[in-house]
Amino acid sequence: MDEEKPECSDGRILLVEDDFVNGKIVSRLLEMDNIPTDWVRNGREALDFYQKNKNSVLMVFMDLQMPIVDGYQATIELRKNGFKRPIIAMTANAFSDDDVKSAEAGMDDFLLKPVSKIDLFMMVEKWMNQENN
Ligand SMILES: [Mg+2]
């Protein structure tokens, strides 16, 4: 068991999600894949987490609709504060312009809820690999 090393031992994925069910699913899936994950409940908490853990946040999964500070505003603030790594939007609205609006806010990609295991891991693979290149 101890020999199983996390894929990114120095880094973590930050999950920003106010919905308990989706937050639980995504965080469990990532941790099952040995990816350390921190789950915060809104954009304000995400910004606080980033300030305290600047170098360890490898990638962010960002819900769009959240109380206090939503995903768009949180992304704009993270980018202003120098966060250059991937931010992936999560939304349940398949037929909205969320993809356009999230790109405008500075997000890199887009994941539809309910999040499936295969889509989630494809997204991690795609963007983590890009980070390593
Ligand atoms: Mg939400």
Side-chain angles (χ1 to χ4, degrees):
M1 260 191 156
D2 290 321
E3 288 166 26
E4 248 182 62
K5 296 254 166 39
E7 282 180 358
C8 41
S9 52
D10 296 341
R12 330 190 50 77
I13 283 184
L14 179 60
L15 169 64
V16 191
E17 171 63 273
D18 68 313
D19 179 74
F20 183 79
V21 173
N22 192 54
K24 196 82 192 164
I25 290 169
V26 174
S27 61
R28 287 285 286 276
L29 286 172
L30 292 171
E31 283 178 349
M32 276 167 58
D33 206 36
N34 288 323
I35 304 171
T37 303
D38 289 279
W39 174 16
V40 298
R41 274 27 175 215
N42 63 60
R44 165 57 40 212
E45 289 183 16
L47 293 165
D48 290 345
F49 185 92
Y50 175 61
Q51 291 301 336
K52 290 180 195 135
N53 304 276
K54 278 201 165 161
N55 295 319
S56 68
V57 180
L58 295 178
M59 185 170 175
V60 178
F61 282 98
M62 181 76 81
D63 182 32
L64 296 177
Q65 307 302 325
M66 292 181 290
I68 306 170
V69 174
D70 69 16
Y72 301 108
Q73 196 56 41
T75 298
I76 289 165
E77 294 295 326
L78 283 172
R79 294 308 188 203
K80 261 191 217 163
N81 283 278
F83 183 72
K84 294 190 172 66
R85 288 170 171 158
I87 302 179
I88 313 302
M90 297 185 295
T91 179
N93 303 320
F95 303 104
S96 70
D97 59 349
D98 283 358
D99 52 344
V100 175
K101 281 159 63 190
S102 59
E104 280 171 1
M107 289 178 243
D108 300 287
D109 216 328
F110 190 78
L111 199 55
L112 211 53
K113 295 199 275 187
V115 175
S116 73
K117 185 176 175 173
I118 185 132
D119 287 349
L120 181 67
F121 289 168
M122 275 172 61
M123 209 53 97
V124 170
E125 188 100 329
K126 177 179 174 185
W127 288 101
M128 286 289 213
N129 284 348
Q130 206 145 61
E131 196 59 37
N132 292 336
N133 288 340

Short mmCIF file of all heavy atoms in Angstrom, two decimals, residues 23-24 28 35 38 42 46 71 79 86 92 96 105 119 126:
data_model
loop_
_atom_site.label_atom_id
_atom_site.label_comp_id
_atom_site.label_asym_id
_atom_site.label_seq_id
_atom_site.Cartn_x
_atom_site.Cartn_y
_atom_site.Cartn_z
N GLY A 23 -19.81 17.32 -5.72
CA GLY A 23 -18.53 17.47 -5.02
C GLY A 23 -18.02 16.14 -4.50
O GLY A 23 -16.83 15.80 -4.64
N LYS A 24 -18.92 15.38 -3.92
CA LYS A 24 -18.56 14.08 -3.36
C LYS A 24 -18.10 13.13 -4.48
O LYS A 24 -17.09 12.44 -4.35
CB LYS A 24 -19.79 13.49 -2.65
CG LYS A 24 -19.48 12.36 -1.71
CD LYS A 24 -19.02 12.91 -0.38
CE LYS A 24 -18.42 11.81 0.48
NZ LYS A 24 -17.64 12.36 1.59
N ARG A 28 -14.22 11.93 -4.78
CA ARG A 28 -13.98 10.49 -4.59
C ARG A 28 -13.29 9.86 -5.80
O ARG A 28 -12.36 9.07 -5.66
CB ARG A 28 -15.29 9.75 -4.32
CG ARG A 28 -15.85 10.00 -2.93
CD ARG A 28 -15.09 9.27 -1.85
NE ARG A 28 -15.36 7.84 -1.85
CZ ARG A 28 -16.40 7.27 -1.25
NH1 ARG A 28 -17.26 8.00 -0.58
NH2 ARG A 28 -16.57 5.97 -1.30
N ILE A 35 -5.15 10.97 -6.90
CA ILE A 35 -4.88 12.39 -7.13
C ILE A 35 -5.36 13.16 -5.90
O ILE A 35 -6.55 13.20 -5.64
CB ILE A 35 -5.60 12.91 -8.38
CG1 ILE A 35 -5.21 12.08 -9.61
CG2 ILE A 35 -5.29 14.39 -8.59
CD1 ILE A 35 -6.02 12.39 -10.85
N ASP A 38 -8.48 18.77 -2.94
CA ASP A 38 -9.08 19.60 -1.91
C ASP A 38 -10.37 20.17 -2.46
O ASP A 38 -10.40 20.72 -3.55
CB ASP A 38 -8.13 20.73 -1.51
CG ASP A 38 -6.96 20.21 -0.72
OD1 ASP A 38 -7.12 19.99 0.49
OD2 ASP A 38 -5.90 19.98 -1.34
N ASN A 42 -17.07 27.38 -2.46
CA ASN A 42 -17.42 28.54 -3.30
C ASN A 42 -16.15 29.26 -3.74
O ASN A 42 -15.05 28.91 -3.34
CB ASN A 42 -18.37 29.49 -2.54
CG ASN A 42 -17.74 30.07 -1.29
OD1 ASN A 42 -16.71 30.75 -1.36
ND2 ASN A 42 -18.33 29.78 -0.13
N ALA A 46 -12.11 29.24 -2.66
CA ALA A 46 -11.10 28.85 -3.65
C ALA A 46 -9.95 29.87 -3.66
O ALA A 46 -8.77 29.49 -3.70
CB ALA A 46 -11.73 28.75 -5.03
N GLY A 71 -18.22 30.88 -10.10
CA GLY A 71 -17.06 30.33 -10.80
C GLY A 71 -16.41 31.30 -11.78
O GLY A 71 -15.20 31.28 -11.96
N ARG A 79 -6.90 34.26 -12.09
CA ARG A 79 -6.02 34.69 -13.19
C ARG A 79 -5.31 35.99 -12.84
O ARG A 79 -4.12 36.15 -13.09
CB ARG A 79 -6.82 34.85 -14.49
CG ARG A 79 -7.40 33.55 -15.07
CD ARG A 79 -6.37 32.46 -15.22
NE ARG A 79 -6.89 31.29 -15.96
CZ ARG A 79 -6.36 30.07 -15.85
NH1 ARG A 79 -5.34 29.84 -15.03
NH2 ARG A 79 -6.85 29.07 -16.53
N PRO A 86 -4.45 24.93 -15.56
CA PRO A 86 -5.80 24.72 -16.13
C PRO A 86 -6.94 24.91 -15.12
O PRO A 86 -6.86 24.47 -13.98
CB PRO A 86 -5.75 23.26 -16.60
CG PRO A 86 -4.31 22.95 -16.76
CD PRO A 86 -3.58 23.76 -15.75
N ALA A 92 -24.21 22.08 -15.41
CA ALA A 92 -25.28 21.16 -15.75
C ALA A 92 -26.08 21.66 -16.95
O ALA A 92 -26.93 20.96 -17.47
CB ALA A 92 -26.20 20.97 -14.56
N SER A 96 -26.70 26.03 -22.79
CA SER A 96 -26.53 27.45 -22.50
C SER A 96 -25.27 27.96 -23.18
O SER A 96 -24.61 27.23 -23.91
CB SER A 96 -26.40 27.65 -20.99
OG SER A 96 -25.16 27.11 -20.59
N ALA A 105 -14.05 34.11 -19.22
CA ALA A 105 -13.58 34.37 -17.85
C ALA A 105 -12.16 33.84 -17.63
O ALA A 105 -11.51 34.21 -16.65
CB ALA A 105 -14.54 33.74 -16.84
N ASP A 119 -15.16 10.99 -18.49
CA ASP A 119 -14.95 12.39 -18.89
C ASP A 119 -13.98 13.09 -17.94
O ASP A 119 -13.13 13.86 -18.37
CB ASP A 119 -16.29 13.15 -18.87
CG ASP A 119 -17.17 12.75 -20.04
OD1 ASP A 119 -16.68 12.06 -20.96
OD2 ASP A 119 -18.36 13.13 -20.02
N LYS A 126 -5.75 15.01 -20.29
CA LYS A 126 -5.51 16.02 -21.31
C LYS A 126 -4.73 17.22 -20.76
O LYS A 126 -3.73 17.64 -21.31
CB LYS A 126 -6.86 16.49 -21.85
CG LYS A 126 -6.80 17.61 -22.87
CD LYS A 126 -8.21 17.97 -23.33
CE LYS A 126 -8.19 19.19 -24.25
NZ LYS A 126 -9.57 19.60 -24.60
#
